[in-house]
C-alpha cells in the first residue's frame, strides 16, 4: 500500500504536511431537514436527502425561505476549533451538491444572502474569523454535482441529456472565480465527487485555481488522479504508512450534514486513537461537524472535540509537524507512535507499568513527559533472547494513568526497527 516515489502526492507546502488535524463543516439547506422530509427519513447521509428522496428542485428551493441561522456564529466555531479543539485548518462547504451557495454569489441568486432570511455572507464571516484566530481558511466546492442546476450531474440519475459544459460555463467556473477573488487567501479548494468529468475538465479547473491563487492546494477529489494530495474514502484509514501527502475525511457519527436521529457518536477515546493512528502513518485527519438548521453545533460534537482537544493541546509537540513512522513490527494495543528527527513519541492510551519497545535498536539520550517536560529514566538494552529493547521507567502516577505522551530522544535521526526473529 505504500506509494512509489514517482507517483506519490505532494502538496509541496509545509503547512499542510505539519497541520495533521483539521475541521470540516457541513452546513446548508439540508441542515434544516435533519434527515427527514414530509415524514420520510433518509437512511443515508443527511446532506444527500434531496437526491435520495427525489425532492424536486423547485420544492427544495423553498427551504431557503426558512434558513435563518439564528444560532450560528462563525467566530465561535473558529475560536473553539483553534483554541479548544486543537485544529489547524478549516474546510467549509461553500456549495454542496444541493447547489445552494453559502455566499453572495453574483451568478446565481440561489444563495444565502439573496434567497434566505439569514441574509449574511457566511464565507465572509468564516474568512474574517480564520484571519483573527490564525486558522487556515479552506473551501469545499461541489464542482460536478449540482442537483439544482438542470445541467449539473446527479449521482444515480440519468445524466445523458445534460449539457455539462453549459453548467461549467454558467455556474461552476464563475462561482470559483468569485471564491478565488473575493475571500482572500484560500489554502485548499476541496473538490468532491468528480462523477463523469473528463481529464481536460479537471485540468481546466486546476488551471483556473492556480491562475488566481498559485498556492491554493487542490484536493484529491478534483478527479482523474490530478489532485495534489490523496483523499481517502470517507472514514477509511490506510492500514500501512503512506508515502506523500494524504488526508482522511471523517465524521463524529454516521453523517456529515445534521441528522436529528443520528446518535451513533464515536467516543472521545476512539477519535483520539484514530487521530494518532493517522498521524503515525503520515496523514491528516479532517474531522466533521454538522450544525443544525439554526446553526447550532450539536452539543455532543463539542463535548467530544473538547475532550480530544485537551490531549492535542497538551501534546502538540508530539502531533504537529511530525513525520510518518515506518512500520513497527508489533501491534501496540496500548500505544501509538509518532516521530520527529531524533525523537520518538509514545502516546500511552492504557495504563502501563513501564514503556517497553521491543526490537527498537536505537541509542537513547533521554526521555521526558511531553505535557510538562518532566525527565524520565530510559535505557537501551538487549533482552535475554538477544533482541534490542528501549525502556522508560514511569513514576507511580503515570503507571496508573492513561492518555499521555512520552518523548524518547534518539542518537539517530530515525527509529531503527529490527525485524522479529523466531
Amino acid at each position: 500500500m505504500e506509494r512509489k516515489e514517482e507517483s506519490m502526492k505532494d502538496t509541496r507546502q509545509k503547512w499542510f504536511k505539519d497541520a495533521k488535524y483539521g475541521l470540516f463543516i457541513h452546513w446548508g439547506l439540508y441542515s434544516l431537514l435533519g434527515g427527514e422530509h414530509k415524514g420520510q427519513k433518509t437512511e443515508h447521509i443527511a446532506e444527500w436527502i434531496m437526491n435520495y428522496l427525489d425532492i424536486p428542485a423547485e420544492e427544495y428551493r423553498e427551504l431557503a425561505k426558512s434558513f435563518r441561522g439564528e444560532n450560528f456564529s462563525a467566530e465561535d466555531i473558529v475560536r473553539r476549533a483553534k483554541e479548544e479543539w486543537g485544529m489547524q485548518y478549516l474546510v467549509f462547504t461553500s456549495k454542496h451538491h444541493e447547489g445552494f451557495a453559502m455566499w453572495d454569489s453574483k451568478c446565481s441568486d440561489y444563495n444565502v444572502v439573496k434567497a434566505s432570511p439569514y441574509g449574511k455572507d457566511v464565507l465572509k464571516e468564516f474568512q474574517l474569523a480564520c484571519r483573527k484566530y490564525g486558522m487556515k481558511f479552506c473551501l469545499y466546492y461541489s464542482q460536478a454535482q449540482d442537483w439544482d442546476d438542470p445541467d449539473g450531474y446527479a449521482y444515480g440519475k440519468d445524466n445523458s441529456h445534460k449539457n455539462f459544459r453549459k453548467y461549467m460555463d454558467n455556474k461552476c467556473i464563475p462561482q470559483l472565480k468569485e471564491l478565488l477573488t473575493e475571500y482572500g487567501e484560500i489554502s485548499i479548494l476541496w473538490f468532491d465527487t468528480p462523477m463523469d468529468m473528463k481529464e481536460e475538465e479537471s485540468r481546466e479547473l486546476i488551471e483556473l485555481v492556480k491562475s488566481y491563487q498559485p498556492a491554493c492546494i487542490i484536493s484529491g477529489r478534483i478527479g482523474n488522479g490530478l489532485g495534489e494530495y490523496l483523499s481517502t474514502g470517507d472514514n477509511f484509514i490506510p492500514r500501512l504508512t503512506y508515502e506523500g501527502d494524504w488526508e482522511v475525511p471523517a465524521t463524529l457519527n454516521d453523517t456529515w450534514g445534521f441528522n436529528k436521529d443520528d446518535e451513533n457518536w464515536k467516543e472521545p477515546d476512539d477519535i483520539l486513537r484514530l487521530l494518532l493512528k493517522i498521524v503515525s502513518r503520515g496523514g491528516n485527519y479532517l474531522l466533521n461537524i454538522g450544525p443544525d438548521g439554526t446553526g447550532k453545533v450539536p452539543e455532543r460534537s463539542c463535548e467530544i472535540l473538547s475532550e480530544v482537544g485537551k490531549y492535542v493541546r497538551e501534546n502538540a509537540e508530539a502531533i504537529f509537524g511530525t513525520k510518518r513512522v515506518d512500520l513497527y513490527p508489533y501491534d501496540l494495543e496500548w500505544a501509538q507512535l509518532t516521530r520527529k528527527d531524533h525523537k520518538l513519541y509514545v502516546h500511552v492510551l492504557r495504563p502501563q507499568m513501564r514503556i517497553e519497545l521491543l526490537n527498537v535498536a536505537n541509542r537513547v539520550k533521554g526521555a521526558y513527559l511531553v505535557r510538562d517536560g518532566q525527565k524520565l529514566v530510559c535505557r537501551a538494552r538487549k533482552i535475554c533472547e538477544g533482541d534490542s529493547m528501549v525502556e522508560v521507567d514511569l513514576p507511580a502516577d503515570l503507571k496508573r494513568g492513561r492518555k499521555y505522551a512520552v518523548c524518547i530522544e534518539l542518537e539517530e535521526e530515525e527509529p531503527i526497527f529490527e525485524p522479529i526473529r523466531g
Side-chain angles (χ1 to χ4, degrees):
M1 287 185 66
E2 290 196 68
R3 295 181 69 83
K4 294 181 180 179
E5 187 71 25
E6 64 270 20
S7 62
M8 75 176 189
K9 297 291 186 177
D10 189 354
T11 63
R12 297 178 175 83
Q13 296 205 36
K14 189 174 187 298
W15 82 259
F16 185 83
K17 299 174 189 298
D18 291 348
K20 305 305 178 188
Y21 194 28
L23 180 66
F24 215 166
I25 306 172
H26 279 66
W27 194 43
L29 298 185
Y30 46 81
S31 307
L32 290 166
L33 296 178
E36 182 175 353
H37 178 64
K38 292 184 175 179
Q40 186 178 4
K41 296 183 179 182
T42 178
E43 297 180 356
H44 301 276
I45 45 181
E47 70 280 3
W48 278 62
I49 191 169
M50 178 183 178
N51 180 277
Y52 284 123
L53 296 190
D54 292 315
I55 304 173
E58 55 274 16
E59 180 180 340
Y60 193 86
R61 276 179 166 244
E62 292 296 308
L63 291 171
K65 297 176 182 178
S66 303
F67 194 80
R68 295 181 173 81
E70 58 267 33
N71 293 316
F72 174 73
S73 171
E75 176 160 343
D76 184 61
I77 291 173
V78 174
R79 179 190 60 78
R80 297 192 73 177
K82 186 70 172 183
E83 297 182 353
E84 295 180 29
W85 303 340
M87 274 104 165
Q88 304 299 302
Y89 62 110
L90 178 148
V91 180
F92 178 73
T93 49
S94 66
K95 187 205 76 168
H96 207 271
H97 311 321
E98 65 181 4
F100 186 69
M102 297 296 285
W103 77 96
D104 190 10
S105 177
K106 310 303 185 293
C107 74
S108 171
D109 287 348
Y110 189 45
N111 68 66
V112 69
V113 175
K114 295 186 176 73
S116 82
Y118 184 71
K120 292 176 284 186
D121 189 323
V122 177
L123 299 196
K124 181 61 65 174
E125 295 180 62
F126 272 120
Q127 178 202 1
L128 296 176
C130 285
R131 181 188 301 167
K132 178 176 179 179
Y133 292 99
M135 179 78 83
K136 289 289 186 180
F137 178 50
C138 315
L139 294 175
Y140 170 110
Y141 184 86
S142 176
Q143 79 276 24
Q145 289 202 82
D146 190 309
W147 304 329
D148 182 74
D149 192 292
D151 291 305
Y153 288 144
Y155 178 74
K157 313 299 181 185
D158 179 12
N159 295 304
S160 61
H161 64 286
K162 296 184 176 182
N163 184 346
F164 186 68
R165 185 71 242 180
K166 182 178 178 182
Y167 158 74
M168 288 265 291
D169 290 338
N170 292 344
K171 188 172 186 181
C172 176
I173 290 174
Q175 286 193 332
L176 284 173
K177 288 180 180 178
E178 292 174 1
L179 299 179
L180 291 162
T181 59
E182 298 176 15
Y183 296 92
E185 180 182 345
I186 309 299
S187 295
I188 298 173
L189 259 170
W190 213 99
F191 293 105
D192 197 16
T193 64
M195 297 282 291
D196 296 324
M197 287 183 69
K198 301 179 180 65
E199 181 174 339
E200 58 265 28
E201 291 169 336
S202 294
R203 288 193 184 279
E204 181 180 357
L205 296 189
I206 292 172
E207 291 170 2
L208 173 71
V209 172
K210 295 297 185 179
S211 70
Y212 287 101
Q213 297 205 30
C216 181
I217 296 172
I218 307 295
S219 79
R221 298 190 187 183
I222 185 64
N224 297 291
L226 298 175
E228 293 180 274
Y229 66 83
L230 174 72
S231 179
T232 72
D234 297 350
N235 291 298
F236 279 84
I237 299 172
R239 180 176 291 276
L240 303 177
T241 60
Y242 227 86
E243 191 85 29
D245 293 334
W246 55 278
E247 175 189 70
V248 176
T251 55
L252 284 167
N253 50 3
D254 290 332
T255 188
W256 302 84
F258 175 71
N259 187 329
K260 58 184 173 59
D261 296 319
D262 185 356
E263 295 294 334
N264 191 26
W265 299 102
K266 299 177 179 71
E267 293 299 320
D269 284 0
D270 295 328
I271 293 293
L272 177 59
R273 178 178 52 81
L274 292 170
L275 169 63
L276 296 174
K277 185 181 292 188
I278 291 166
V279 171
S280 178
R281 295 173 187 179
N284 289 4
Y285 194 25
L286 183 62
L287 193 55
N288 181 75
I289 57 172
D292 66 18
T294 74
K296 178 180 172 59
V297 180
E299 192 58 41
R300 186 58 184 151
S301 294
C302 296
E303 291 171 356
I304 295 168
L305 293 177
S306 293
E307 186 169 335
V308 174
K310 181 177 185 298
Y311 184 92
V312 171
R313 287 182 286 107
E314 288 181 347
N315 298 281
E317 173 197 329
I319 296 172
F320 304 117
T322 56
K323 300 179 179 181
R324 68 184 181 93
V325 179
D326 285 336
L327 188 63
Y328 181 60
Y330 293 98
D331 186 10
L332 300 177
E333 294 185 354
W334 54 273
Q336 291 289 335
L337 304 177
T338 59
R339 77 169 183 93
K340 291 180 178 176
D341 290 349
H342 300 286
K343 293 185 176 184
L344 179 63
Y345 298 100
V346 186
H347 299 263
V348 181
L349 304 178
R350 295 182 186 176
Q352 292 292 117
M353 291 299 292
R354 68 183 60 81
I355 292 174
E356 296 179 335
L357 297 178
L358 187 58
N359 289 80
V360 175
N362 292 85
R363 296 168 295 167
V364 297
K365 297 192 294 184
Y368 60 88
L369 187 63
V370 173
R371 67 189 179 207
D372 62 10
Q374 176 185 350
K375 297 295 184 182
L376 302 172
V377 175
C378 71
R379 67 190 66 85
R381 67 181 182 89
K382 295 283 188 179
I383 63 171
C384 53
E385 289 83 7
D387 297 303
S388 299
M389 177 180 280
V390 171
E391 289 182 333
V392 180
D393 294 338
L394 298 174
D397 61 324
L398 290 185
K399 290 178 181 179
R400 298 187 298 270
R402 53 191 287 273
K403 293 197 292 188
Y404 61 89
V406 168
C407 176
I408 301 172
E409 298 171 293
L410 309 175
E411 292 280 357
E412 298 82 9
E413 184 174 301
E414 298 185 22
I416 301 172
F417 298 146
E418 297 174 332
I420 300 173
R421 301 187 303 175

